[in-house]
PDB file of all heavy atoms in Angstrom:
ATOM      1  N   ARG Q1521       7.817 -39.755   4.139  1.00 91.00           N
ATOM      2  CA  ARG Q1521       7.612 -41.202   4.244  1.00 91.00           C
ATOM      3  C   ARG Q1521       6.961 -41.567   5.574  1.00 91.00           C
ATOM      4  O   ARG Q1521       6.120 -42.470   5.636  1.00 91.00           O
ATOM      5  CB  ARG Q1521       8.956 -41.918   4.089  1.00 91.00           C
ATOM      6  CG  ARG Q1521       8.805 -43.405   3.857  1.00 91.00           C
ATOM      7  CD  ARG Q1521      10.089 -44.017   3.369  1.00 91.00           C
ATOM      8  NE  ARG Q1521       9.913 -45.419   3.037  1.00 91.00           N
ATOM      9  CZ  ARG Q1521      10.890 -46.183   2.553  1.00 91.00           C
ATOM     10  NH1 ARG Q1521      12.083 -45.676   2.329  1.00 91.00           N
ATOM     11  NH2 ARG Q1521      10.661 -47.456   2.283  1.00 91.00           N
ATOM     12  N   ASP Q1526       1.467 -46.634   6.124  1.00 94.00           N
ATOM     13  CA  ASP Q1526       1.045 -47.831   5.407  1.00 94.00           C
ATOM     14  C   ASP Q1526       0.578 -47.537   3.977  1.00 94.00           C
ATOM     15  O   ASP Q1526       0.335 -48.460   3.202  1.00 94.00           O
ATOM     16  CB  ASP Q1526      -0.069 -48.545   6.165  1.00 94.00           C
ATOM     17  CG  ASP Q1526      -1.311 -47.676   6.378  1.00 94.00           C
ATOM     18  OD1 ASP Q1526      -1.247 -46.458   6.085  1.00 94.00           O
ATOM     19  OD2 ASP Q1526      -2.328 -48.195   6.842  1.00 94.00           O
ATOM     20  N   VAL Q1527       0.437 -46.254   3.606  1.00 96.00           N
ATOM     21  CA  VAL Q1527       0.088 -45.915   2.229  1.00 96.00           C
ATOM     22  C   VAL Q1527       1.244 -46.253   1.287  1.00 96.00           C
ATOM     23  O   VAL Q1527       1.028 -46.519   0.101  1.00 96.00           O
ATOM     24  CB  VAL Q1527      -0.276 -44.421   2.125  1.00 96.00           C
ATOM     25  CG1 VAL Q1527      -0.362 -43.960   0.683  1.00 96.00           C
ATOM     26  CG2 VAL Q1527      -1.593 -44.166   2.842  1.00 96.00           C
ATOM     27  N   SER Q1528       2.469 -46.262   1.799  1.00 93.00           N
ATOM     28  CA  SER Q1528       3.647 -46.557   0.978  1.00 93.00           C
ATOM     29  C   SER Q1528       4.153 -47.959   1.285  1.00 93.00           C
ATOM     30  O   SER Q1528       4.713 -48.203   2.347  1.00 93.00           O
ATOM     31  CB  SER Q1528       4.754 -45.537   1.255  1.00 93.00           C
ATOM     32  OG  SER Q1528       5.892 -45.808   0.485  1.00 93.00           O
ATOM     33  N   PRO Q1529       3.958 -48.927   0.378  1.00 92.00           N
ATOM     34  CA  PRO Q1529       4.389 -50.301   0.625  1.00 92.00           C
ATOM     35  C   PRO Q1529       5.908 -50.427   0.560  1.00 92.00           C
ATOM     36  O   PRO Q1529       6.592 -49.561   0.001  1.00 92.00           O
ATOM     37  CB  PRO Q1529       3.718 -51.097  -0.499  1.00 92.00           C
ATOM     38  CG  PRO Q1529       3.486 -50.106  -1.581  1.00 92.00           C
ATOM     39  CD  PRO Q1529       3.270 -48.788  -0.921  1.00 92.00           C
ATOM     40  N   PRO Q1530       6.469 -51.503   1.111  1.00 91.00           N
ATOM     41  CA  PRO Q1530       7.916 -51.691   1.062  1.00 91.00           C
ATOM     42  C   PRO Q1530       8.387 -52.042  -0.350  1.00 91.00           C
ATOM     43  O   PRO Q1530       7.606 -52.484  -1.197  1.00 91.00           O
ATOM     44  CB  PRO Q1530       8.144 -52.862   2.024  1.00 91.00           C
ATOM     45  CG  PRO Q1530       6.845 -53.599   2.046  1.00 91.00           C
ATOM     46  CD  PRO Q1530       5.785 -52.562   1.855  1.00 91.00           C
ATOM     47  N   SER Q1531       9.661 -51.829  -0.587  1.00 90.00           N
ATOM     48  CA  SER Q1531      10.280 -52.210  -1.855  1.00 90.00           C
ATOM     49  C   SER Q1531      10.179 -53.728  -2.045  1.00 90.00           C
ATOM     50  O   SER Q1531      10.232 -54.478  -1.068  1.00 90.00           O
ATOM     51  CB  SER Q1531      11.749 -51.768  -1.820  1.00 90.00           C
ATOM     52  OG  SER Q1531      12.439 -52.241  -2.934  1.00 90.00           O
ATOM     53  N   PRO Q1532      10.035 -54.230  -3.271  1.00 90.00           N
ATOM     54  CA  PRO Q1532      10.076 -53.532  -4.549  1.00 90.00           C
ATOM     55  C   PRO Q1532       8.709 -53.025  -5.031  1.00 90.00           C
ATOM     56  O   PRO Q1532       8.613 -52.466  -6.108  1.00 90.00           O
ATOM     57  CB  PRO Q1532      10.601 -54.591  -5.502  1.00 90.00           C
ATOM     58  CG  PRO Q1532      10.026 -55.860  -4.974  1.00 90.00           C
ATOM     59  CD  PRO Q1532      10.036 -55.701  -3.475  1.00 90.00           C
ATOM     60  N   GLN Q1533       7.643 -53.243  -4.248  1.00 88.00           N
ATOM     61  CA  GLN Q1533       6.326 -52.718  -4.639  1.00 88.00           C
ATOM     62  C   GLN Q1533       6.182 -51.244  -4.252  1.00 88.00           C
ATOM     63  O   GLN Q1533       5.183 -50.620  -4.593  1.00 88.00           O
ATOM     64  CB  GLN Q1533       5.207 -53.532  -3.986  1.00 88.00           C
ATOM     65  CG  GLN Q1533       4.969 -54.892  -4.598  1.00 88.00           C
ATOM     66  CD  GLN Q1533       6.007 -55.902  -4.172  1.00 88.00           C
ATOM     67  OE1 GLN Q1533       6.480 -55.869  -3.027  1.00 88.00           O
ATOM     68  NE2 GLN Q1533       6.371 -56.799  -5.075  1.00 88.00           N
ATOM     69  N   GLY Q1534       7.160 -50.700  -3.553  1.00 89.00           N
ATOM     70  CA  GLY Q1534       7.084 -49.318  -3.118  1.00 89.00           C
ATOM     71  C   GLY Q1534       8.445 -48.665  -3.067  1.00 89.00           C
ATOM     72  O   GLY Q1534       9.375 -49.070  -3.771  1.00 89.00           O
ATOM     73  N   ILE Q1535       8.585 -47.660  -2.195  1.00 88.00           N
ATOM     74  CA  ILE Q1535       9.793 -46.846  -2.126  1.00 88.00           C
ATOM     75  C   ILE Q1535      10.995 -47.693  -1.707  1.00 88.00           C
ATOM     76  O   ILE Q1535      10.910 -48.519  -0.802  1.00 88.00           O
ATOM     77  CB  ILE Q1535       9.584 -45.697  -1.127  1.00 88.00           C
ATOM     78  CG1 ILE Q1535       8.461 -44.772  -1.619  1.00 88.00           C
ATOM     79  CG2 ILE Q1535      10.867 -44.895  -0.922  1.00 88.00           C
ATOM     80  CD1 ILE Q1535       8.057 -43.711  -0.619  1.00 88.00           C
ATOM     81  N   GLY Q1536      12.132 -47.457  -2.374  1.00 86.00           N
ATOM     82  CA  GLY Q1536      13.366 -48.144  -1.985  1.00 86.00           C
ATOM     83  C   GLY Q1536      14.244 -48.555  -3.140  1.00 86.00           C
ATOM     84  O   GLY Q1536      15.439 -48.801  -2.965  1.00 86.00           O
ATOM     85  N   ASP Q1537      13.690 -48.640  -4.356  1.00 90.00           N
ATOM     86  CA  ASP Q1537      14.468 -48.975  -5.545  1.00 90.00           C
ATOM     87  C   ASP Q1537      14.321 -47.850  -6.564  1.00 90.00           C
ATOM     88  O   ASP Q1537      13.571 -46.898  -6.366  1.00 90.00           O
ATOM     89  CB  ASP Q1537      13.989 -50.308  -6.144  1.00 90.00           C
ATOM     90  CG  ASP Q1537      14.536 -51.495  -5.378  1.00 90.00           C
ATOM     91  OD1 ASP Q1537      15.699 -51.857  -5.619  1.00 90.00           O
ATOM     92  OD2 ASP Q1537      13.791 -52.045  -4.542  1.00 90.00           O
ATOM     93  N   ASP Q1538      15.032 -47.971  -7.674  1.00 91.00           N
ATOM     94  CA  ASP Q1538      14.940 -46.948  -8.714  1.00 91.00           C
ATOM     95  C   ASP Q1538      13.557 -46.925  -9.360  1.00 91.00           C
ATOM     96  O   ASP Q1538      13.109 -45.901  -9.861  1.00 91.00           O
ATOM     97  CB  ASP Q1538      16.009 -47.183  -9.788  1.00 91.00           C
ATOM     98  CG  ASP Q1538      17.414 -46.927  -9.255  1.00 91.00           C
ATOM     99  OD1 ASP Q1538      17.595 -45.907  -8.565  1.00 91.00           O
ATOM    100  OD2 ASP Q1538      18.303 -47.740  -9.510  1.00 91.00           O
ATOM    101  N   CYS Q1539      12.897 -48.064  -9.392  1.00 93.00           N
ATOM    102  CA  CYS Q1539      11.521 -48.166  -9.864  1.00 93.00           C
ATOM    103  C   CYS Q1539      10.759 -49.100  -8.929  1.00 93.00           C
ATOM    104  O   CYS Q1539      11.358 -49.951  -8.267  1.00 93.00           O
ATOM    105  CB  CYS Q1539      11.445 -48.743 -11.291  1.00 93.00           C
ATOM    106  SG  CYS Q1539      12.166 -47.709 -12.575  1.00 93.00           S
ATOM    107  N   ALA Q1540       9.457 -48.923  -8.867  1.00 92.00           N
ATOM    108  CA  ALA Q1540       8.598 -49.876  -8.168  1.00 92.00           C
ATOM    109  C   ALA Q1540       8.036 -50.865  -9.186  1.00 92.00           C
ATOM    110  O   ALA Q1540       7.889 -50.538 -10.368  1.00 92.00           O
ATOM    111  CB  ALA Q1540       7.461 -49.146  -7.462  1.00 92.00           C
ATOM    112  N   THR Q1541       7.738 -52.065  -8.748  1.00 92.00           N
ATOM    113  CA  THR Q1541       7.175 -53.073  -9.638  1.00 92.00           C
ATOM    114  C   THR Q1541       5.664 -53.145  -9.455  1.00 92.00           C
ATOM    115  O   THR Q1541       5.130 -52.910  -8.371  1.00 92.00           O
ATOM    116  CB  THR Q1541       7.781 -54.460  -9.356  1.00 92.00           C
ATOM    117  OG1 THR Q1541       7.424 -54.876  -8.025  1.00 92.00           O
ATOM    118  CG2 THR Q1541       9.297 -54.414  -9.469  1.00 92.00           C
ATOM    119  N   PHE Q1542       4.993 -53.473 -10.548  1.00 89.00           N
ATOM    120  CA  PHE Q1542       3.526 -53.509 -10.533  1.00 89.00           C
ATOM    121  C   PHE Q1542       3.069 -54.489 -11.611  1.00 89.00           C
ATOM    122  O   PHE Q1542       3.438 -54.347 -12.771  1.00 89.00           O
ATOM    123  CB  PHE Q1542       2.974 -52.110 -10.794  1.00 89.00           C
ATOM    124  CG  PHE Q1542       1.494 -52.043 -11.053  1.00 89.00           C
ATOM    125  CD1 PHE Q1542       0.587 -52.701 -10.242  1.00 89.00           C
ATOM    126  CD2 PHE Q1542       1.005 -51.285 -12.110  1.00 89.00           C
ATOM    127  CE1 PHE Q1542      -0.775 -52.632 -10.483  1.00 89.00           C
ATOM    128  CE2 PHE Q1542      -0.355 -51.199 -12.357  1.00 89.00           C
ATOM    129  CZ  PHE Q1542      -1.243 -51.877 -11.533  1.00 89.00           C
ATOM    130  N   THR Q1543       2.266 -55.477 -11.224  1.00 89.00           N
ATOM    131  CA  THR Q1543       1.737 -56.457 -12.168  1.00 89.00           C
ATOM    132  C   THR Q1543       0.217 -56.303 -12.248  1.00 89.00           C
ATOM    133  O   THR Q1543      -0.479 -56.534 -11.257  1.00 89.00           O
ATOM    134  CB  THR Q1543       2.080 -57.892 -11.737  1.00 89.00           C
ATOM    135  OG1 THR Q1543       3.498 -58.017 -11.603  1.00 89.00           O
ATOM    136  CG2 THR Q1543       1.587 -58.899 -12.763  1.00 89.00           C
ATOM    137  N   PRO Q1544      -0.313 -55.880 -13.406  1.00 89.00           N
ATOM    138  CA  PRO Q1544      -1.769 -55.739 -13.527  1.00 89.00           C
ATOM    139  C   PRO Q1544      -2.462 -57.092 -13.370  1.00 89.00           C
ATOM    140  O   PRO Q1544      -1.877 -58.139 -13.669  1.00 89.00           O
ATOM    141  CB  PRO Q1544      -1.960 -55.200 -14.947  1.00 89.00           C
ATOM    142  CG  PRO Q1544      -0.629 -54.663 -15.358  1.00 89.00           C
ATOM    143  CD  PRO Q1544       0.390 -55.496 -14.630  1.00 89.00           C
ATOM    144  N   GLY Q1592      -4.935 -48.068  -9.307  1.00 97.00           N
ATOM    145  CA  GLY Q1592      -3.795 -48.848  -8.871  1.00 97.00           C
ATOM    146  C   GLY Q1592      -2.787 -47.966  -8.173  1.00 97.00           C
ATOM    147  O   GLY Q1592      -3.128 -46.900  -7.658  1.00 97.00           O
ATOM    148  N   PRO Q1593      -1.510 -48.363  -8.134  1.00 97.00           N
ATOM    149  CA  PRO Q1593      -0.475 -47.574  -7.464  1.00 97.00           C
ATOM    150  C   PRO Q1593      -0.261 -46.222  -8.130  1.00 97.00           C
ATOM    151  O   PRO Q1593      -0.589 -46.017  -9.301  1.00 97.00           O
ATOM    152  CB  PRO Q1593       0.771 -48.447  -7.591  1.00 97.00           C
ATOM    153  CG  PRO Q1593       0.265 -49.826  -7.839  1.00 97.00           C
ATOM    154  CD  PRO Q1593      -0.995 -49.663  -8.610  1.00 97.00           C
ATOM    155  N   ALA Q1594       0.328 -45.296  -7.368  1.00 98.00           N
ATOM    156  CA  ALA Q1594       0.588 -43.950  -7.868  1.00 98.00           C
ATOM    157  C   ALA Q1594       2.001 -43.509  -7.504  1.00 98.00           C
ATOM    158  O   ALA Q1594       2.601 -44.012  -6.543  1.00 98.00           O
ATOM    159  CB  ALA Q1594      -0.422 -42.960  -7.285  1.00 98.00           C
ATOM    160  N   LEU Q1595       2.527 -42.574  -8.295  1.00 97.00           N
ATOM    161  CA  LEU Q1595       3.835 -41.950  -8.056  1.00 97.00           C
ATOM    162  C   LEU Q1595       3.626 -40.470  -7.771  1.00 97.00           C
ATOM    163  O   LEU Q1595       2.827 -39.810  -8.447  1.00 97.00           O
ATOM    164  CB  LEU Q1595       4.746 -42.115  -9.277  1.00 97.00           C
ATOM    165  CG  LEU Q1595       5.163 -43.543  -9.633  1.00 97.00           C
ATOM    166  CD1 LEU Q1595       5.765 -43.566 -11.030  1.00 97.00           C
ATOM    167  CD2 LEU Q1595       6.172 -44.058  -8.619  1.00 97.00           C
ATOM    168  N   VAL Q1625      -5.340 -46.542  -2.689  1.00 98.00           N
ATOM    169  CA  VAL Q1625      -4.260 -46.255  -3.625  1.00 98.00           C
ATOM    170  C   VAL Q1625      -2.920 -46.266  -2.893  1.00 98.00           C
ATOM    171  O   VAL Q1625      -2.686 -45.418  -2.021  1.00 98.00           O
ATOM    172  CB  VAL Q1625      -4.462 -44.887  -4.300  1.00 98.00           C
ATOM    173  CG1 VAL Q1625      -3.260 -44.511  -5.160  1.00 98.00           C
ATOM    174  CG2 VAL Q1625      -5.725 -44.901  -5.149  1.00 98.00           C
ATOM    175  N   PRO Q1626      -2.009 -47.180  -3.211  1.00 97.00           N
ATOM    176  CA  PRO Q1626      -0.675 -47.132  -2.624  1.00 97.00           C
ATOM    177  C   PRO Q1626       0.220 -46.122  -3.352  1.00 97.00           C
ATOM    178  O   PRO Q1626       0.185 -46.040  -4.580  1.00 97.00           O
ATOM    179  CB  PRO Q1626      -0.145 -48.562  -2.820  1.00 97.00           C
ATOM    180  CG  PRO Q1626      -0.905 -49.107  -3.970  1.00 97.00           C
ATOM    181  CD  PRO Q1626      -2.226 -48.394  -4.012  1.00 97.00           C
ATOM    182  N   LEU Q1627       0.984 -45.338  -2.601  1.00 96.00           N
ATOM    183  CA  LEU Q1627       1.983 -44.453  -3.185  1.00 96.00           C
ATOM    184  C   LEU Q1627       3.319 -45.183  -3.173  1.00 96.00           C
ATOM    185  O   LEU Q1627       3.847 -45.512  -2.115  1.00 96.00           O
ATOM    186  CB  LEU Q1627       2.095 -43.152  -2.377  1.00 96.00           C
ATOM    187  CG  LEU Q1627       1.019 -42.106  -2.653  1.00 96.00           C
ATOM    188  CD1 LEU Q1627       1.132 -40.955  -1.658  1.00 96.00           C
ATOM    189  CD2 LEU Q1627       1.139 -41.579  -4.072  1.00 96.00           C
ATOM    190  N   VAL Q1628       3.852 -45.458  -4.346  1.00 96.00           N
ATOM    191  CA  VAL Q1628       4.966 -46.398  -4.465  1.00 96.00           C
ATOM    192  C   VAL Q1628       6.295 -45.717  -4.786  1.00 96.00           C
ATOM    193  O   VAL Q1628       7.294 -46.396  -4.994  1.00 96.00           O
ATOM    194  CB  VAL Q1628       4.653 -47.467  -5.540  1.00 96.00           C
ATOM    195  CG1 VAL Q1628       3.427 -48.266  -5.135  1.00 96.00           C
ATOM    196  CG2 VAL Q1628       4.463 -46.841  -6.918  1.00 96.00           C
ATOM    197  N   GLY Q1629       6.342 -44.381  -4.813  1.00 93.00           N
ATOM    198  CA  GLY Q1629       7.596 -43.700  -5.075  1.00 93.00           C
ATOM    199  C   GLY Q1629       7.340 -42.329  -5.661  1.00 93.00           C
ATOM    200  O   GLY Q1629       6.224 -41.827  -5.660  1.00 93.00           O
ATOM    201  N   GLY Q1630       8.419 -41.725  -6.175  1.00 93.00           N
ATOM    202  CA  GLY Q1630       8.283 -40.410  -6.778  1.00 93.00           C
ATOM    203  C   GLY Q1630       9.584 -39.648  -6.748  1.00 93.00           C
ATOM    204  O   GLY Q1630      10.667 -40.230  -6.800  1.00 93.00           O
ATOM    205  N   THR Q1647      -1.875 -44.938 -11.822  1.00 98.00           N
ATOM    206  CA  THR Q1647      -2.172 -46.095 -12.651  1.00 98.00           C
ATOM    207  C   THR Q1647      -3.576 -46.600 -12.353  1.00 98.00           C
ATOM    208  O   THR Q1647      -4.194 -46.247 -11.342  1.00 98.00           O
ATOM    209  CB  THR Q1647      -1.172 -47.243 -12.408  1.00 98.00           C
ATOM    210  OG1 THR Q1647      -1.386 -47.770 -11.083  1.00 98.00           O
ATOM    211  CG2 THR Q1647       0.261 -46.764 -12.547  1.00 98.00           C
TER     212      THR Q1647
END
Side-chain angles (χ1 to χ4, degrees):
R1521 194 166 185 178
D1526 59 351
V1527 168
S1528 180
S1531 173
Q1533 285 77 35
I1535 297 173
D1537 281 280
D1538 292 315
C1539 294
T1541 64
F1542 169 47
T1543 303
L1595 295 166
V1625 174
L1627 280 172
V1628 298
T1647 69

